Amino acid sequence: MITGKNCIGGRFKADGSVEFRTINPKENVENPMVFLEATKGEIDAAAELAWTAFKTFRNIPGKQRADFLNSIADEILALDKELVDMYMLESGLPEGRAIGERGRTVFQLRSFAELVSNDDWRENTFDAAQPDRKPMPKDDLRKTMIPLGPVAVFGASNFPLAYSTAGGDTASALAAGCPVIVKGHPMHAGTNELVASAIVKAAEKTGMPKGVFSSINGNVQAGVDLVNHPKVKAVGFTGSIGGGRALFDLAAKRDEPIPVFAEMGSINPVIMTANAISNRGRELAKTYAGSITLGTGQFCTNPGLLLTVKTDDTEGFIQELAKKTIAIAPQTMLHPNIKKGYQKKGEDVISQDGVEVVGEYKGDLEPNDAASIIASVSGEAFLKNPKMHQEVFGPFSMVVQCKGETELIQIIDGLEGQLTGTLIAEKDDDLNLAEIVESLQNRVGRIIYNGVPTGVEVCPSMQHGGPYPASTDSRFTAVGIHSIKRWVRPISYQSFPMELLPDHLKK
Ligand code: NAP
């Protein structure tokens, strides 16, 4: 049963009186559960408990942390239908997506459990002493990775499970030995509470310190208080550029600045060569209509920008893409604010000089349904106007028709940082593909060849993060086991006696 309370170090409590409710976006009505925002005192308590827990949690052997992570996965599965129903109620996403995302969440938890079952992830290095080295002796040096401290995680609206309460940020931080305080996404407070209860049960069953996990409900101020708290040592965020940048700036202004790993907006450019369009334009239009509308376009890897060199085939391709896209039945967006944002940003982009709407869904819509849009513009107009580069979060894509390869490369070079870039080309293409790849790789974290950017595999070779504003630190990934590196730092031990070294450095 939902209590509406905050989870402070394993205890569900609510000292405050400010209430809020989540929304059922399908019905466009408030849900019956009432949630209470955390007070400043509760946020302080969560951070202090996390700091106390850190002192023991960071030294708990990896195998025990693995048991904790596996136990969280088990408890999430045990919530079964209750969790799936709550997820659907609060997000408007269908059952298949709920089950799929739960599977991904459980997989991530188990992957991190496996990772920390031994100490290889710490990348330990050993340099033996050379007491007889001339002219100076060399000391024994050993380097390893240690956790940063309590991590604040902001739940993502577009992944209520896999990038929220027990999602990738939380799983990787706990695996590293960092206690976690989650600010649940306010639109998914029920889903957040259920998952928080699963984490609390797992922590109790596996004997973890009580401050190892907390979850707070709240508004913008709660997030600000959390990031400003001196006992919080790092932040994980997925959401808007405005939100991520605000938290990044806040963290930088603290007396002790801390890292903020924010994964934000992207328009994920797709370069389609004229040869590819001429040879398989119809097939590409169908595939891309599916990718643009997948999950109502609410994926950070949604292809919002298609770039091509204009030929006689381009117009036919754009018409076909528009036809196929608007033929796909509209779906509910995650919450009314996201729908408002989609409409506002969409209108902003299509009202720019030179932008033509080629297709827009005009059928009946429920209040939070999104009408898909395909727009088109010349390369020249796009180059002059950065407003056209903004993310329109939803089923929207713009085709840019360049006059030649030089203009295409100029556009790629002028783009902001992106999560992905895609190249759709033929084997013996007329375009200089190597030059395009050279430009593209400077702007993105992942390059896809002859595929679609949507669908992010969780595996070690996945890079999910790119130059700003795709993420605040392009050296790290938010997906896959290497995301643990965000929450640790290297430390060297010089000339240490064996008994004072951590176990994993004793050899
Ligand atoms: P959001 O507005 O960035 O909010 C995410 C979380 O950050 C919420 O908990 C929010 O709190 C908090 N937050 C936002 N601004 C803050 C600030 N200045 N200081 C402290 N906390 C702050 O994202 P959203 O609600 O998920 O969606 C809004 C828009 O973000 C979407 O329409 C879309 O454009 C973009 N988005 C992009 C991606 C992506 O992957 N590229 C994913 C999700 C969303 P409150 O809700 O209490 O304000």
Side-chain angles (χ1 to χ4, degrees), residues 154-159 183-187 218-224 227 237-244 246-247 250 263-266 298-301 334-335 337-339 341-342 345 391-393 419 464:
F154 286 72
S157 62
N158 59 344
F159 279 96
K183 186 198 167 222
H185 195 281
M187 292 293 164
N219 56 19
V220 168
Q221 189 56 43
V224 169
V227 173
F237 172 93
T238 303
S240 64
I241 295 179
L247 297 176
L250 203 66
E263 195 256 276
M264 306 173 289
S266 225
Q298 300 165 115
F299 286 122
C300 38
T301 52
L334 289 158
H335 59 74
N337 293 344
I338 290 203
K339 163 83 189 268
Y342 174 62
K345 293 241 176 95
E391 181 187 45
V392 181
F393 194 66
L419 288 170
H464 193 70

Side-chain angles (χ1 to χ4, degrees), residues 73 76-84 87 96-109 161-162:
I76 287 174
L77 290 174
L79 287 165
D80 203 13
K81 193 170 165 355
E82 190 184 6
L83 180 61
V84 171
Y87 173 108
R97 164 76 195 268
I99 291 171
E101 201 182 317
R102 183 185 61 183
R104 182 181 175 135
T105 309
V106 164
F107 176 76
Q108 290 176 159
L109 286 158
L161 293 175

